[in-house]
Amino acid sequence: MNHIERLSTAISEIEAERSFPFLITDLTNIRYLTGFEGSSASLLLCGTQSYFISDARYSEYAMSILPSSVEFVLQKGSMPEILHGLINKIKSKKLYVENHGLSLDLFLMLQANLKGCRVHASESVIERLRMVKDEEEINLLKKAASITDRCFKHLLGIIREGISEWDISVEVEHFYRTNGCRSTSFETIAASGKGSSMPHYQTSMNKKIKHGEPVLIDMGCCYKGYNSDLTRTVFVGKVDPLLAKIYAIVREAQQTAIDRLAEGITAAELDTAARNVISARGYGDFFGHSLGHGVGLDIHELPTIRTNSGSVLTKNMTITVEPGIYIPGKGGVRIEDMVLVAENGCEVLTRSPKKMTII
């Protein structure tokens, strides 16, 4: 699906909800609809004629990629001033804005400056559209996943006693940047020893890996705008019996969820399937985060895979499945893969080995 088709679909969805004109300020949503990759833009969807607002830095670039149905508006004054002119031009008494992508400051400024126009904070349909990936997006996600798998294989050759967590993190970034990626998807987590008990540990610049420690690595790359996400836990020299035990439980929990995953299952059901395995083994209190999340242009996007989610998973959604058990003061294990939902099952996109690895 090209950007013109995405824009047309979005306009149809918004029209069905009678939410015109709709202001989009989330740059990822703007990229999804137009292909624009700059740092400053807003998009006012009005039906047959829409308006793309940006400053002089992006005028030539934006006009070169926008379809004829989208008019470029050069921002010379404040955003409320620009929108005031456009709202008067289209003679609207209301304006819908994204409830997640607009600052409270700008929202209040719009309310104060758009006289005679009511500003409504509304859920954006764009996030719903982005949940289901088209063929081009799936191919980019598969490529990002394959680069990440290659990176993990590379790491297995350098992780050893005495290497620092920071060295691993730097190696991940270097690998991605020299293999077709502009950046990592997020700051790489390299958590060793007791640090692995913290799900979102901050990688130390000084901590060196010791014999007998677990090393939890959570990493992802951004390939042509699309992200990957992979977590593996390995052990240096030997493995503590307790960590070996919880590794087996986490792997079973993840496989149980993957086996259940198919179009039609709810996010809550999927989370519960994995969580029940961990709880039945007595470690339910040590798995505190959700099972996963959508991944695409953003590293974390809809749907969220958690127990209180009513989202129904459909074909071509791409999510993570990442159960974990974390024992404070001892260490933790997480195993995470990117998974593509299919009609009668799923396809695991990240293929790094999950057999317990002792380096």
Side-chain angles (χ1 to χ4, degrees), residues 8 41 65 107 142 356:
S8 176
I65 63 172
F107 179 75
K142 286 182 175 180
M356 190 167 64

Side-chain angles (χ1 to χ4, degrees), residues 189-337:
I189 297 173
S192 63
K194 296 177 182 179
S196 61
S197 70
M198 292 178 267
H200 273 200
Y201 173 83
Q202 185 173 31
T203 302
S204 170
M205 298 184 74
N206 302 309
K207 165 81 169 62
K208 293 187 177 181
I209 296 168
K210 299 175 183 178
H211 182 81
E213 287 189 327
V215 184
L216 187 155
I217 303 170
D218 189 348
M219 61 184 188
C221 67
C222 186
Y223 177 76
K224 296 186 178 180
Y226 284 81
N227 294 282
S228 64
D229 205 353
L230 172 78
T231 304
R232 290 292 185 267
T233 307
V234 299
F235 304 89
V236 175
K238 64 178 182 178
V239 56
D240 181 278
L242 175 60
L243 294 178
K245 178 183 178 181
I246 67 173
Y247 189 97
I249 297 169
V250 170
R251 187 176 177 189
E252 180 187 354
Q254 195 211 33
Q255 192 59 51
T256 297
I258 289 173
D259 289 344
R260 287 285 309 278
L261 183 52
E263 184 173 40
I265 193 172
T266 68
E269 288 171 335
L270 192 66
D271 183 290
T272 300
R275 200 168 299 277
N276 283 349
V277 173
I278 293 173
S279 295
R281 304 299 191 279
Y283 290 94
D285 291 340
F286 300 95
F287 176 26
H289 57 74
S290 61
L291 180 65
H293 53 85
V295 58
L297 283 169
D298 283 326
I299 187 60
H300 290 96
E301 57 184 47
L302 296 177
T304 302
I305 314 302
R306 60 189 179 197
T307 52
N308 61 350
S309 171
S311 297
V312 178
L313 303 186
T314 62
K315 182 180 177 181
N316 290 346
M317 286 183 176
T318 304
I319 65 171
T320 64
V321 179
E322 48 180 301
I325 296 175
Y326 312 93
I327 312 297
K330 188 73 173 180
V333 171
R334 180 165 67 251
I335 301 174
E336 174 187 21
D337 285 295

Side-chain angles (χ1 to χ4, degrees), residues 41 66 74 89 94 98 114 125 153 269:
L66 294 174
L74 181 63
K89 179 179 180 179
K94 56 188 176 181
E98 293 177 305
L114 298 182
V125 302
K153 183 178 180 180
E269 288 171 335

Side-chain angles (χ1 to χ4, degrees), residues 34-241:
T34 68
F36 177 79
E37 297 181 40
S39 62
S40 177
S42 297
L43 181 63
L44 185 66
L45 300 181
C46 304
T48 55
Q49 182 66 59
S50 297
Y51 301 92
F52 185 99
I53 306 162
S54 190
D55 58 59
R57 293 174 299 166
Y58 295 117
S59 56
E60 182 179 1
Y61 164 48
M63 286 188 284
S64 72
I65 63 172
L66 294 174
S68 58
S69 61
V70 181
E71 178 182 332
F72 179 81
V73 178
L74 181 63
Q75 182 176 347
K76 293 182 179 180
S78 69
M79 180 59 70
E81 290 173 340
I82 296 292
L83 287 172
H84 184 268
L86 291 175
I87 293 299
N88 284 342
K89 179 179 180 179
I90 62 180
K91 299 178 181 179
S92 178
K93 299 292 185 183
K94 56 188 176 181
L95 173 66
Y96 293 87
V97 300
E98 293 177 305
N99 60 7
H100 75 283
L102 194 73
S103 70
L104 177 60
D105 181 56
L106 181 54
F107 179 75
L108 294 175
M109 287 175 63
L110 292 176
Q111 284 186 319
N113 288 274
L114 298 182
K115 304 298 185 182
C117 178
R118 187 172 181 181
V119 183
H120 300 268
S122 175
E123 289 188 5
S124 173
V125 302
I126 314 305
E127 279 78 19
R128 298 203 304 267
L129 294 176
R130 282 172 49 195
M131 284 195 291
V132 179
K133 274 54 179 181
D134 59 35
E135 184 178 356
E136 180 183 0
E137 290 180 294
I138 291 170
N139 287 336
L140 291 172
L141 287 165
K142 286 182 175 180
K143 179 64 175 180
S146 71
I147 294 171
T148 298
D149 282 332
R150 286 165 45 209
C151 183
F152 179 70
K153 183 178 180 180
H154 171 68
L155 292 180
L156 291 179
I158 68 166
I159 294 174
R160 63 189 183 279
E161 183 179 357
I163 192 174
S164 72
E165 294 175 350
W166 191 251
D167 287 339
I168 295 173
S169 176
V170 169
E171 192 67 28
V172 168
E173 180 151 357
H174 179 264
F175 186 95
Y176 287 152
R177 287 182 176 272
T178 54
N179 283 272
C181 302
R182 288 191 177 273
S183 66
T184 58
S185 297
F186 51 90
E187 189 171 328
T188 301
I189 297 173
S192 63
K194 296 177 182 179
S196 61
S197 70
M198 292 178 267
H200 273 200
Y201 173 83
Q202 185 173 31
T203 302
S204 170
M205 298 184 74
N206 302 309
K207 165 81 169 62
K208 293 187 177 181
I209 296 168
K210 299 175 183 178
H211 182 81
E213 287 189 327
V215 184
L216 187 155
I217 303 170
D218 189 348
M219 61 184 188
C221 67
C222 186
Y223 177 76
K224 296 186 178 180
Y226 284 81
N227 294 282
S228 64
D229 205 353
L230 172 78
T231 304
R232 290 292 185 267
T233 307
V234 299
F235 304 89
V236 175
K238 64 178 182 178
V239 56
D240 181 278

